[in-house]
Amino acid sequence: MRRREFVGMLAAASAAGILPGSIGARQKLPSNLYELPSFGDVRLLHFTDSHAQLTPIYFREPSVNLGIGAARGRPPHLVGEHLLGHYGITDAALAHAFTFLDFAEAAEIYGRVGGFAHLRALVTQLRESYGAEKTLLMDGGDTWQGSGTALWTRGADMVGASNLLGVDLMTGHWEFTYDEEEIRANLEAYRGEFLAQNVLVTEDALFEDAPVFDEESGHAFRPYSVRELGGKRVAVIGQAFPYTPIANPSRFIPNWTFGVRPDQMQALVDKVREAEQPSAVVLLSHNGMDVDLKLASMVRGIDVILGGHTHDGVPAPSLVENGGGTTLVTNAGSNGKFLAVLDLELSEKKVRDYRYRLLPVFSNLIEPDSEMSEYIARVRAPYLDQLNETLAVADSLLYRRGNFNGTFDQVVCDALRAVNDAEIALSPGFRWGTTVLPGQPVTMAHLLDQTAITYPETYVREMSGEELKLILEDVADNLFNTDPFFQQGGDMVRLGGLDYVLDPTESIGHRISDMTLNSGKPVEAGKTYKVTGWATVGAKSSGPPVWETVAEYLRAEETVKLTRLNTPKLKNVDDNPGMARG
């Protein structure tokens, strides 16, 4: 869908009264927001980064998502009013879905988003209205991790939900943070196809007769799939997160290697084009949007990239020119909050036209699917006492998503410092984690939404000021390197007890300055400090799981009151449209 058409759709929806603009309007709706006109020959449905959120949640979009260099001012690096202006969004409900603006107030009006029972109802409607034989449902990964039940069932709860949802194809990232045996057991139970052209079995593992999809090529998993949809052939290539062994512990998956592998991708696209004669080639990607944009400029013959990993809810595709034509690059948000709908008009060997919608899944506007609701209740039942424990009450909005400390990140850091009697706390820059509204109870389920991983152990150790600066410089280069292929996942490390100045436009070694403790004392390079943290990627730490530490802190606090947010002072980004004004 072109931007002009997208704006027209919003105006028509508002005029018809199908988008809620107030509490009263919302209560009157059984909206036809989701009754889309059919177009073209095939319909591709896509969601990504659901992070095991089976039930509806609140999720605040970022107020800081900085683009540096060529990425400055380009999607996905637009927030708030900048994003709304770029896409011409004027409707209040969609403004709430796509931005952080007035989030707490708007969330009270429009309610929660996502939930697999609501998602299944919407998917079923969109399939049946278009023709199930012409429709394909794809999952971009990060599905088996992100909740207490996913952790305790080792992702099996999400496999069952995906099967019931009818997911045809998926790729992965956090799926690889279970042991290989657990991954293979889940894939054995999964009824769709798992695709990953960029995951190879190591030579040593092949010598030891490790399982492999194709011994000649070394692919650990099926690299692509071709589907007949209403008489048209669509090829889908899978691209798992390229930097999994760097961003997550490689000790879980020692037999596999990862990478972007653009040359291998080009060779595969050429092979698929020649051997399979598809009308369209689609890349189901977990690269992150900046990596997808660069890859699209390098590789010929990919018509569409359905992207994930960076959790960017981008209302319309970016069009990237390359030696073979144009590639559409999309990213479909996270947490089950959005469902992307791409209708393609196809000739024998190419895409002629398209229509794209990124639909917010407003749970108040969709009657939940009863079969999925029963499944969710059943898999959660053994854990309800743990999940529903109230730990404290939120005094203000608690959220995570953004380049720097979110308020829930600060709670985690404050808890680590308090319980472990440390000067400084470090917490990973994870993008997943749901939002808690002011006045809402903070439950164990909410805490696990922020912390439920397979390497949650905490640590306490001495670090020098020099070591702390090196850590911050390294993570900042990962986030702000102007070459997307050197951006290896996650946002800036979250801090407690430490402030600093950051210039994202500088080079590595020169971005971080003026590190100070909460007391105002400068951090000295040669001095050591007591530091606590969690989620070590290398060797396993010896401390208790982080949720035990944070739960202990919250139970004692009763009310979560933040007195300070340890977020950096930024330089040379005042007019960057990836940062909210004010």
Side-chain angles (χ1 to χ4, degrees):
M1 179 177 288
R2 310 302 193 267
R3 190 185 306 167
R4 183 174 66 243
E5 294 170 325
F6 179 78
V7 174
M9 181 193 79
L10 301 186
S14 295
I18 65 173
L19 294 176
S22 67
I23 293 176
R26 184 197 74 190
Q27 291 173 340
K28 294 176 183 176
L29 287 170
S31 168
N32 60 351
L33 169 63
Y34 304 115
E35 294 176 6
L36 304 183
S38 294
F39 174 84
D41 303 291
V42 303
R43 170 166 285 179
L44 306 181
L45 304 176
H46 173 234
F47 70 98
T48 188
D49 297 272
S50 64
H51 284 287
Q53 295 304 317
L54 287 173
T55 60
I57 49 93
Y58 296 110
F59 186 79
R60 175 192 183 272
E61 299 298 326
S63 53
V64 183
N65 186 2
L66 295 170
I68 304 300
R72 184 188 182 280
R74 179 185 75 183
H77 301 289
L78 301 166
V79 301
E81 299 287 354
H82 301 293
L83 183 146
L84 298 181
H86 182 83
Y87 291 106
I89 298 174
T90 57
D91 179 83
L94 293 183
H96 170 57
F98 286 109
T99 75
F100 69 93
L101 297 169
D102 300 318
F103 182 84
E105 296 83 356
E108 293 284 1
I109 296 172
Y110 302 115
R112 291 175 169 84
V113 293
F116 264 56
H118 302 79
L119 185 60
R120 189 185 192 220
L122 180 56
V123 166
T124 300
Q125 174 188 324
L126 293 169
R127 273 175 163 156
E128 292 179 350
S129 65
Y130 193 83
E133 75 285 355
K134 301 186 295 180
T135 304
L136 201 61
L137 175 61
M138 288 177 275
D139 173 2
D142 280 3
T143 302
W144 302 353
Q145 176 276 334
S147 71
T149 54
L151 178 68
W152 295 325
T153 65
R154 315 305 285 180
D157 65 328
M158 298 309 300
V159 175
S162 296
N163 287 341
L164 199 54
L165 187 61
V167 177
D168 296 296
L169 302 164
M170 72 174 293
T171 192
H173 168 204
W174 278 88
E175 285 74 14
F176 297 112
T177 59
Y178 297 103
D179 292 333
E180 182 175 343
E181 295 77 10
E182 294 171 322
I183 297 168
R184 292 198 178 278
N186 281 342
L187 291 179
E188 183 69 25
Y190 170 52
R191 295 174 191 162
E193 290 184 293
F194 186 90
L195 307 177
Q197 75 85 27
N198 60 327
V199 182
L200 304 179
V201 179
T202 67
E203 290 186 8
D204 288 345
L206 286 172
F207 183 77
E208 296 293 333
D209 293 324
V212 61
F213 171 74
D214 185 331
E215 190 167 351
E216 183 176 345
S217 68
H219 283 114
F221 307 100
R222 183 182 300 275
Y224 73 95
S225 179
V226 177
R227 297 297 182 98
E228 293 276 353
L229 303 174
K232 302 293 185 180
R233 291 171 64 80
V234 175
V236 181
I237 298 171
Q239 177 87 346
F241 181 55
Y243 308 110
T244 297
I246 299 171
N248 307 101
S250 60
R251 63 181 183 267
F252 294 134
I253 46 170
N255 292 336
W256 299 331
T257 66
F258 295 69
V260 180
R261 309 190 195 278
D263 293 340
Q264 180 177 296
M265 177 72 76
Q266 183 66 74
L268 181 59
V269 171
D270 292 343
K271 173 186 172 182
V272 168
R273 285 280 185 192
E274 181 178 355
E276 306 289 355
Q277 296 292 303
S279 296
V281 174
V282 176
L283 180 64
L284 179 60
S285 167
H286 203 90
N287 281 331
M289 191 163 180
D290 284 331
V291 176
D292 282 335
L293 290 166
K294 180 175 179 178
L295 189 68
S297 72
M298 299 172 64
V299 178
R300 306 174 308 278
I302 299 173
D303 296 297
V304 179
I305 298 180
L306 300 176
H309 175 64
T310 38
H311 293 200
D312 300 306
V314 180
S318 296
L319 277 62
V320 179
E321 302 295 328
N322 54 53
T326 302
T327 301
L328 307 179
V329 178
T330 72
N331 204 280
S334 67
N335 288 274
K337 183 177 181 180
F338 296 102
L339 179 68
V341 185
L342 176 62
D343 292 348
L344 297 176
E345 182 182 280
L346 304 174
S347 67
E348 185 177 343
K349 293 185 179 180
K350 69 176 184 178
V351 175
R352 295 172 58 89
D353 203 356
Y354 71 94
R355 296 290 184 271
Y356 182 84
R357 298 90 162 172
L358 186 58
L359 299 176
V361 183
F362 289 115
S363 61
N364 283 339
L365 305 185
I366 301 170
E367 188 70 25
D369 177 83
S370 59
E371 189 176 6
M372 184 70 81
S373 294
E374 291 170 4
Y375 172 81
I376 292 169
R378 188 165 65 252
V379 297
R380 286 170 56 86
Y383 311 106
L384 283 181
D385 287 345
Q386 294 161 273
L387 295 171
N388 291 338
E389 181 192 357
T390 294
L391 302 172
V393 175
D395 184 59
S396 58
L397 186 71
L398 301 181
Y399 62 90
R400 169 174 281 166
R401 178 76 172 95
N403 286 161
F404 308 108
N405 266 28
T407 50
F408 214 129
D409 295 301
Q410 192 68 53
V411 170
V412 172
C413 288
D414 290 350
L416 285 165
R417 289 181 63 222
V419 174
N420 293 324
D421 190 27
E423 294 172 275
I424 298 167
L426 304 178
S427 185
F430 294 142
R431 291 190 173 100
W432 45 272
T434 59
T435 300
V436 181
L437 301 186
Q440 194 178 359
V442 181
T443 65
M444 180 60 80
H446 290 131
L447 175 54
L448 290 167
D449 287 349
Q450 315 291 325
T451 58
I453 63 175
T454 54
Y455 51 107
E457 297 82 11
T458 55
Y459 63 85
V460 180
R461 55 167 291 196
E462 297 290 322
M463 290 188 188
S464 68
E466 181 181 19
E467 187 177 0
L468 286 163
K469 184 177 187 296
L470 286 173
I471 290 171
L472 294 180
E473 289 280 5
D474 183 65
V475 180
D477 191 62
N478 169 60
L479 182 58
F480 298 116
N481 195 302
T482 54
D483 185 341
F485 283 7
F486 289 93
Q487 297 172 8
Q488 298 172 348
D491 282 307
M492 196 65 191
V493 61
R494 278 50 170 140
L495 296 170
L498 176 66
D499 293 315
Y500 61 100
V501 174
L502 169 66
D503 185 345
T505 66
E506 274 286 0
S507 58
I508 189 168
H510 303 283
R511 291 188 178 94
I512 307 298
S513 62
D514 299 317
M515 296 164 56
T516 59
L517 300 174
N518 277 4
S519 64
K521 293 182 179 180
V523 173
E524 301 175 34
K527 187 175 179 180
T528 59
Y529 301 88
K530 188 177 181 182
V531 179
T532 182
W534 65 291
T536 54
V537 172
K540 182 178 178 179
S541 297
S542 58
V546 65
W547 54 77
E548 291 184 7
T549 301
V550 181
E552 177 184 342
Y553 170 82
L554 290 175
R555 291 184 189 111
E557 291 290 306
E558 296 185 356
T559 300
V560 182
K561 293 184 178 180
L562 295 177
T563 59
R564 183 173 191 151
L565 189 64
N566 288 118
T567 191
K569 179 181 178 181
L570 301 176
K571 296 174 65 175
N572 295 322
V573 294
D574 286 347
D575 60 346
N576 192 302
M579 186 169 68
R581 298 185 181 96

